[in-house]
């Protein structure tokens, strides 16, 4: 079974600064997806960024980028130029690409609560 | 294209009552899921479905039932509600080729 670990329960960052959220995972699979989801106070789960394990290039979406280290099973999220609207819970998640006995299930970490300070 | 919709948004139940949480997706996804999220925690999988007529248990299925008669709908049934079922419930779907898309959630309180 896959596990996802987020070791930082809470973090804070000054507005306009950069912050990095950590995530490690454990799996025996070689082909999978990794995701970062954002959950603001509205509770809506919003996809921030996606990484396919077979792609060596780190994914980037505007101010959000990842550092994907496949051998180390590490998947950190960097938020540049932090904005007040980035205040939210951030969840790292793993999804096996092959259905097999599973069904593209997501395994979530426990989350990191990020506060952006004005 | 509404994505994943859930009803109701909020509900208060008395212990022992039953209810159905509705979930509908309009993306023609085969795979659908129900999660619960307890305060300060991540999401835990209750049930999932790989297509119409096929469902299976997730990590925390006790006290719940599901059905999948169509591709679009995946209702979650709570029988004999208990305080331990107080949580936020999310429905999600995916084609399997990308991320899961989530509904807005249902906040359920059992008193």
């Amino acid at each position: 079974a896959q596990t996802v670990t987020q070791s930082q329960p809470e973090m804070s960052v000054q507005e306009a600064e950069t912050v990095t959220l950590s995530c490690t995972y454990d799996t025996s699979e070689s082909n999978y997806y990794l995701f970062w989801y954002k959950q603001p106070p509205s509770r809506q789960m919003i996809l921030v960024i996606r990484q396919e394990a077979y792609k060596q290039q780190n994914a980037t979406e505007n101010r959000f980028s990842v550092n994907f280290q496949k051998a180390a099973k590490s998947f950190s999220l960097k938020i540049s130029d932090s904005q007040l609207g980035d205040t939210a819970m951030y969840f790292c998640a793993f999804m096996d690409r092959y259905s097999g006995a599973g069904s593209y299930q997501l395994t979530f970490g426990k989350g990191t609560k990020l506060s952006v300070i004005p | 294209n509404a994505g994943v919709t859930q009803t109701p948004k909020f509900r208060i139940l008395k212990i022992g009552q039953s209810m159905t949480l509705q979930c509908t997706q309009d993306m023609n996804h085969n795979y659908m899921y129900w999660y619960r999220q307890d305060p300060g925690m991540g999401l835990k999988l209750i049930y999932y479905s790989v297509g119409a007529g096929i469902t299976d248990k997730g990590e925390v299925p006790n006290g719940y039932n599901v059905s999948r008669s169509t591709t679009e709908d995946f209702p979650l049934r709570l029988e004999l509600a208990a305080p331990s079922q107080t949580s936020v419930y999310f429905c999600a779907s995916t084609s399997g080729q990308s991320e899961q898309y989530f509904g807005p959630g249902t906040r359920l309180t059992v008193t």
Side-chain angles (χ1 to χ4, degrees):
Chain A
Q2 290 82 12
T3 58
V4 177
T5 302
Q6 294 179 248
S7 58
Q8 306 150 314
E10 292 192 41
M11 296 190 71
S12 62
V13 62
Q14 292 286 339
E15 195 174 5
E17 297 294 307
T18 295
V19 64
T20 298
L21 280 57
S22 301
C23 173
T24 58
Y25 59 94
D26 188 23
T27 183
S28 58
E29 303 295 333
S30 60
N31 203 350
Y32 48 85
Y33 285 111
L34 292 162
F35 306 95
W36 280 98
Y37 281 90
K38 168 185 177 181
Q39 188 179 43
S42 67
R43 297 200 315 267
Q44 179 71 49
M45 293 290 286
I46 302 166
L47 180 70
V48 174
I49 201 164
R50 170 180 63 232
Q51 176 78 43
E52 297 180 59
Y54 71 90
K55 292 186 178 179
Q56 293 186 333
Q57 185 172 8
N58 290 325
T60 300
E61 289 286 343
N62 300 316
R63 298 183 294 106
F64 299 88
S65 61
V66 298
N67 184 2
F68 174 48
Q69 302 288 328
K70 190 173 184 179
K73 296 180 181 175
S74 171
F75 183 59
S76 60
L77 174 69
K78 185 171 83 172
I79 306 174
S80 304
D81 186 26
S82 297
Q83 300 176 0
L84 297 179
D86 296 333
T87 292
M89 283 289 288
Y90 287 81
F91 292 98
C92 179
F94 172 101
M95 184 169 81
D96 189 344
R97 281 200 72 182
Y98 292 105
S99 183
S103 62
Y104 304 112
Q105 295 178 31
L106 281 175
T107 301
F108 287 90
K110 292 185 176 181
T112 296
K113 183 177 181 181
L114 177 67
S115 300
V116 180
I117 303 166
Chain B
N1 190 334
V4 180
T5 57
Q6 292 181 237
T7 56
K9 287 186 168 54
F10 304 93
R11 184 70 186 269
I12 299 174
L13 280 182
K14 293 188 185 302
I15 295 172
Q17 287 184 324
S18 301
M19 74 164 295
T20 299
L21 281 65
Q22 301 291 345
C23 175
T24 300
Q25 54 92 8
D26 62 0
M27 296 173 282
N28 201 32
H29 287 166
N30 282 328
Y31 302 90
M32 295 188 74
Y33 312 83
W34 274 106
Y35 296 92
R36 60 177 286 171
Q37 183 182 27
D38 298 328
M41 302 295 288
L43 279 69
K44 293 186 177 181
L45 183 65
I46 304 172
Y47 269 95
Y48 66 93
S49 171
V50 302
I54 306 170
T55 63
D56 206 348
K57 296 176 181 179
E59 181 183 359
V60 289
N62 291 343
Y64 308 95
N65 275 300
V66 294
S67 59
R68 184 97 180 270
S69 58
T70 66
T71 299
E72 295 78 20
D73 300 307
F74 189 41
L76 177 72
R77 178 80 176 165
L78 279 72
E79 304 282 0
L80 299 175
S84 61
Q85 293 178 304
T86 293
S87 191
V88 179
Y89 292 83
F90 289 96
C91 180
S93 73
T94 182
S95 64
Q97 300 306 307
S98 66
E99 69 270 22
Q100 289 188 12
Y101 295 83
F102 285 82
T106 295
R107 181 181 293 277
L108 175 67
T109 302
V110 182
T111 62

